[in-house]
């Protein structure tokens, strides 16, 4: 059950969650870049850092789009993002996996 004071908060919560996700991916990109740039010879993880930075921007832009979409009335139908959320979620999971592999390798 929602209260009358809950109006419009769904869009705000959606925006905050997309912002947190893009911030986390962006931090991953920065940490990978710093790690690679402090080595004598920057490795291929620098490419991964650039890909993570691009992914962070894509997530931020899509998050702004979803926030604007959900703050309008009437709400879109269907309400859930059928393709984008699994695609971006898979990209974040793949980034986490590849980052873990890169950090373990010398």
């Amino acid at each position: 059950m929602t209260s009358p004071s809950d109006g419009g908060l769904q869009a705000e919560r959606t925006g905050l969650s997309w912002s947190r996700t893009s911030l986390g991916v962006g931090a991953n990109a920065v940490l990978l870049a710093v790690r690679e740039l402090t080595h004598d010879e920057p490795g291929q993880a620098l490419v991964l850092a650039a890909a993570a930075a691009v992914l962070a921007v894509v997530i931020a832009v899509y998050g702004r789009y979803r926030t604007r979409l959900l703050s309008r009335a009437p709400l879109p139908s269907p309400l859930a993002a059928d393709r984008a959320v699994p695609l971006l979620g898979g990209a974040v999971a793949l980034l986490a996996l590849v980052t873990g592999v890169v950090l373990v390798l010398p």
Side-chain angles (χ1 to χ4, degrees), residues 4-101:
S5 63
D6 216 19
L9 292 180
Q10 179 181 9
E12 184 178 353
R13 287 190 302 264
T14 297
L16 289 172
S17 66
W18 283 106
S19 296
R20 283 190 307 269
T21 303
S22 66
L23 183 62
V25 173
N28 185 355
V30 169
L31 291 173
L32 277 172
V34 167
R35 178 183 180 270
E36 287 303 305
L37 293 175
T38 57
H39 283 83
D40 292 335
E41 294 180 24
Q44 294 186 0
L46 205 52
V47 174
L48 181 61
V54 169
L55 181 60
V57 170
V58 168
I59 290 171
V61 168
Y62 185 74
R64 299 257 325 181
Y65 164 74
R66 285 294 296 172
T67 301
R68 277 193 230 132
L69 191 66
L70 292 176
S71 62
R72 285 191 232 149
L75 289 175
S77 178
L79 190 57
D82 293 336
R83 288 175 283 189
V85 172
L87 180 67
L88 290 173
V92 170
L94 181 63
L95 174 67
L97 178 69
V98 173
T99 299
V101 169

